[in-house]
Amino acid sequence: MSPQARLGRTLYAVPNYGAPSGVCIAELDEGLRAGSVTHRITGEPFDLPTTPASHGCRLYVVNSQNDEPPGKPPYTVSAIHDPICERSENR
């Protein structure tokens, strides 16, 4: 299962394997059981993203430390503009 966060009917998910590194954003149906991907954000500044979070008009994505020994910094979080924010503000 992909790490994910949900805000209302918007789902932010980080695909783990077999997909480009990044975040997928989906709009869910009223029952929150199905949805469609509306945005895929890939490439820079992600480095093996693991967990998303949304706050205001920003997405914060924790980058993996899986290829480093435990406790070895740097620990990084990528902060990017949330493309859903613009759509919500224009309603």
Side-chain angles (χ1 to χ4, degrees), residues 44-83:
E44 297 281 336
F46 302 121
D47 183 19
L48 298 174
T50 60
T51 305
S54 175
H55 180 73
C57 287
R58 305 290 288 169
L59 289 177
Y60 298 92
V61 182
V62 176
N63 291 301
S64 170
Q65 292 292 107
N66 293 338
D67 56 349
E68 296 292 334
K72 183 178 179 193
Y75 301 105
T76 62
V77 175
S78 298
I80 61 170
H81 179 72
D82 183 349

Side-chain angles (χ1 to χ4, degrees), residues 10 83-91:
T10 302
I84 300 298
C85 186
E86 292 172 353
R87 192 174 71 192
S88 297
E89 290 175 349
N90 291 330
R91 286 184 182 172

Side-chain angles (χ1 to χ4, degrees), residues 6-64:
R6 186 175 61 83
L7 182 61
R9 289 177 39 194
T10 302
L11 178 71
Y12 301 88
V14 176
N16 286 334
Y17 300 103
S21 294
V23 177
C24 291
I25 304 172
E27 287 299 314
L28 302 175
D29 65 13
E30 289 182 19
L32 305 178
R33 297 177 57 88
S36 299
V37 173
T38 59
H39 294 82
R40 284 186 177 88
I41 306 166
T42 60
E44 297 281 336
F46 302 121
D47 183 19
L48 298 174
T50 60
T51 305
S54 175
H55 180 73
C57 287
R58 305 290 288 169
L59 289 177
Y60 298 92
V61 182
V62 176
N63 291 301
S64 170

